[in-house]
Amino acid sequence: QHVVCFLLEKGISKNHIGIEKKVIVNKMNKRFDIVVYNRDGSVKLLVECKAPSVKIDQAVFDQTLIYNKSLNSQFMMITNGLIHFFFKIDYKTKKYKFIKEFPF
């Protein structure tokens, strides 16, 4: 709920926010936490939310990147409510780059 409020405060329209919807990853049904859609329906931002007690480690990054294989978002956010990471995917090099602030 806090992340949705954060997105709304950043000017994201509530009509462009999807919460806990199904995504198919490696022929398995999974559920993402939050996405922000572009006007054309493509995914602009994928958000992975964890509990404050969960340490954000490589496994959490890997999970988010796996989900993104189906969603093809350019930007991602990972948060446990205390720590927030923002990064951008470069699809040419297939690498991600951390960015300091919310990307838009």
Side-chain angles (χ1 to χ4, degrees):
Q1 293 173 343
H2 292 291
V3 175
V4 172
C5 289
F6 170 80
L7 294 172
L8 294 172
E9 288 172 5
K10 292 294 185 180
I12 305 295
S13 168
K14 67 180 179 179
N15 297 326
H16 289 222
I17 298 173
I19 301 171
E20 293 187 348
K21 294 190 179 185
K22 183 175 85 168
V23 62
I24 297 174
V25 178
N26 296 328
K27 299 180 183 176
M28 297 173 60
N29 290 331
K30 300 289 183 179
R31 190 175 297 269
F32 63 73
D33 291 325
I34 301 170
V35 294
V36 174
Y37 295 101
N38 286 308
R39 287 193 173 126
D40 66 4
S42 63
V43 177
K44 185 174 187 175
L45 173 70
L46 169 61
V47 182
E48 180 63 29
C49 302
K50 297 295 183 189
S53 60
V54 175
K55 180 180 177 186
I56 298 176
D57 58 12
Q58 189 63 48
V60 175
F61 282 97
D62 292 345
Q63 175 190 9
T64 308
L65 290 169
I66 288 169
Y67 285 6
N68 196 51
K69 285 183 180 183
S70 296
L71 297 170
N72 296 314
S73 177
Q74 184 180 11
F75 295 97
M76 289 178 238
M77 175 182 176
I78 299 174
T79 182
N80 65 3
L82 304 173
I83 300 171
H84 316 294
F85 292 99
F86 303 102
F87 53 107
K88 179 179 180 176
I89 296 290
D90 183 337
Y91 284 100
K92 291 180 184 177
T93 63
K94 297 187 179 183
K95 294 184 179 182
Y96 57 89
K97 177 182 177 183
F98 287 92
I99 50 181
K100 293 182 181 184
E101 296 180 6
F102 187 73
F104 37 86

